[in-house]
């Protein structure tokens, strides 16, 4: 079946509750920003629409909402990626400790310990961010190739299966960057581009095992997400019932947003912790396969860029060195 322990994985997520709360705050804040900006843009557009005859208030309201949404998207895209990844980096640093059966050393708080690990391993946050973007670029290429192939399957009745397989494959690849980050932290790397390169190759050469566990995790997260959603939806329904008028509608919307944020903040760490358990176990004693390195370099310009940065950081190749040493 699967190669991770459900109880242990849930325990790790629960024990890292300070980061779960941080994730909720970030997800909730970003979503509210989108809602407010879109609503404000629509309101301004509606008011401006009374000045002009063409289109009228409704047309300007729509364009105002689109403008507000687009403006926030541009402003928050990099900021969102940066904030979320710095939160994820700290969370992963603590989860790596717990996966290896160690507590946070020295009686430190989880957040203080995580900040120290991230600063020590990556020196500059920009290095961490660039590494993340490069790995995501590799993932996008691989996902696109697999998804494009399955989308044109000519066999009737298998399109639904193909879509499910694609979703599982995408899930298997979605958290590669987080897993590679955990690998960097676990081996105590001071050359993140080189160990990032090694980690991607190790992931690729163990893709069958990772995919098998991703299938189980897809089913589990659907079930877990549904349970959490309905549990958090109950208070939202109570608010709608108890508070009459327009205020109730806004309260209900915010409650739904909070429910989504809680699901994202809880389910995502569960998947990452589970896949990291599998990844750490399956690569034990392995070294990166140069053939896989060549395949990835041929198919992805982002991997070639990662490879160039890796070689520049160490002055050559390290394939003769065990990554678990």
């Amino acid at each position: 079946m699967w190669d991770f322990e459900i109880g242990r994985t849930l325990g790790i997520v629960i024990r890292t509750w300070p980061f779960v709360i941080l994730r909720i705050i970030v997800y909730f804040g970003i979503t509210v920003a989108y809602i407010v900006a879109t609503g404000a843009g629509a309101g301004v557009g509606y008011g401006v629409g009374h000045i002009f005859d063409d289109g009228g208030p409704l047309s300007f309201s729509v364009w105002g909402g689109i403008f507000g949404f687009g403006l926030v998207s541009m402003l928050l895209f990099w900021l969102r990626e940066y904030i979320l990844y710095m939160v994820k980096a700290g969370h992963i640093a603590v989860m790596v400790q717990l996966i290896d059966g160690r507590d946070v050393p020295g009686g430190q708080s989880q957040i203080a310990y995580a900040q120290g690990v991230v600063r020590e391993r990556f020196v500059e946050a920009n290095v961490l961010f660039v590494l993340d973007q490069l790995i995501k670029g590799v993932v996008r290429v691989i996902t696109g190739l697999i998804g494009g192939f399955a989308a044109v399957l000519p066999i009737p009745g298998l399109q639904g299966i193909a879509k499910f397989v694609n979703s599982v494959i995408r899930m298997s690849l979605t958290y590669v960057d987080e897993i590679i980050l955990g690998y960097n932290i676990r081996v105590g790397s001071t050359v993140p581009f080189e160990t990032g390169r090694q980690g991607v190759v190790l992931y690729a050469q163990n893709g069958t095992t990772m995919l098998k566990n991703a299938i189980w995790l897809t089913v589990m997260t659907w079930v877990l997400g549904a349970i959490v959603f309905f549990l958090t939806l109950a208070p939202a329904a109570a608010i709608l019932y108890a508070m009459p008028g327009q205020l109730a509608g806004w309260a209900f919307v915010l409650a739904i947003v909070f429910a989504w944020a809680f699901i994202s903040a809880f389910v995502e760490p569960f998947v990452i912790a589970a896949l990291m358990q599998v990844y750490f176990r399956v690569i034990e004693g392995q070294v990166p396969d140069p053939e896989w390195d060549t395949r990835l370099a041929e198919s992805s310009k982002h991997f070639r860029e990662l490879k160039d940065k890796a070689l520049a950081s160490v002055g050559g190749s390290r394939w003769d060195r065990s990554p678990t040493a």
Side-chain angles (χ1 to χ4, degrees):
M1 296 178 72
W2 52 82
D3 301 306
F4 56 90
E5 302 172 30
I6 296 177
R8 186 184 178 205
T9 304
L10 285 172
I12 289 171
V13 175
I14 292 171
R15 288 179 65 185
T16 57
W17 61 267
F19 282 99
V20 174
I21 293 175
L22 271 178
R23 284 171 177 266
I24 292 174
I25 293 172
V26 171
Y27 281 118
F28 183 77
I30 290 173
T31 307
V32 169
Y34 273 110
I35 293 174
V36 171
T38 303
V44 171
Y46 185 83
V48 172
H50 285 84
I51 302 175
F52 302 95
D53 294 331
D54 296 336
L58 290 180
S59 177
F60 277 85
S61 177
V62 171
W63 283 109
I66 294 173
F67 176 79
F69 185 88
L71 180 62
V72 172
S73 295
M74 288 188 295
L75 294 175
L76 287 182
F77 175 75
W78 290 105
L79 183 61
R80 173 185 181 275
E81 292 290 319
Y82 184 83
I83 292 174
L84 283 179
Y85 198 69
M86 291 304 292
V87 172
K88 289 178 182 178
H91 198 174
I92 289 169
V94 177
M95 287 197 291
V96 167
Q97 283 284 109
L98 299 180
I99 288 172
D100 286 340
R102 301 190 300 266
D103 292 324
V104 173
Q108 304 175 72
S109 71
Q110 290 185 9
I111 294 177
Y113 166 76
Q115 288 176 339
V117 169
V118 173
R119 283 195 300 266
E120 179 184 0
R121 296 293 171 229
F122 299 96
V123 185
E124 297 179 4
N126 183 58
V127 173
L128 180 64
F129 187 58
V130 170
L131 177 63
D132 176 50
Q133 295 302 312
L134 287 175
I135 294 174
K136 283 182 177 178
V138 178
V139 170
R140 282 195 294 268
V141 169
I142 298 173
T143 305
L145 290 174
I146 297 173
F149 172 76
V152 295
L153 285 177
I155 304 174
L158 290 184
Q159 293 301 312
I161 297 175
K163 290 180 180 179
F164 174 76
V165 171
N166 283 338
S167 68
V168 172
I169 292 171
R170 283 193 294 271
M171 178 178 178
S172 176
L173 296 172
T174 296
Y175 301 105
V176 174
D177 51 332
E178 283 89 348
I179 294 170
I180 303 308
L181 172 59
Y183 171 76
N184 265 299
I185 293 172
R186 189 174 189 242
V187 300
S189 172
T190 56
V191 281
F193 289 113
E194 170 63 12
T195 44
R197 169 198 182 186
Q198 294 181 5
V200 170
V201 176
L202 286 166
Y203 193 100
Q205 69 191 50
N206 291 282
T208 302
T209 300
M210 302 306 298
L211 183 59
K212 178 190 74 173
N213 285 275
I215 293 174
W216 286 110
L217 280 167
T218 299
V219 176
M220 290 179 187
T221 52
W222 286 345
V223 174
L224 183 61
I227 292 173
V228 173
F229 181 76
F230 283 112
L231 287 177
T232 52
L233 192 62
I239 292 174
L240 186 62
Y241 178 80
M243 299 174 59
Q246 192 175 32
L247 183 61
W250 282 107
F252 186 75
V253 169
L254 292 178
I256 295 297
V257 171
F258 180 81
W260 172 84
F262 184 82
I263 291 171
S264 300
F266 187 83
V267 173
E268 184 176 277
F270 174 83
V271 175
I272 293 171
L275 288 176
M276 279 201 298
Q277 288 180 60
V278 177
Y279 180 74
F280 293 161
R281 189 175 302 160
V282 75
I283 69 169
E284 193 68 35
Q286 293 185 8
V287 294
D289 185 347
E291 292 186 8
W292 270 107
D293 175 65
T294 302
R295 292 178 191 175
L296 291 172
E298 290 175 349
S299 62
S300 171
K301 67 177 183 179
H302 294 92
F303 185 80
R304 290 193 295 273
E305 186 177 349
L306 175 61
K307 185 174 180 178
D308 290 341
K309 288 182 178 295
L311 295 177
S313 67
V314 299
S317 177
R318 287 194 172 186
W319 295 126
D320 57 333
R321 178 181 174 183
S322 171
T324 57

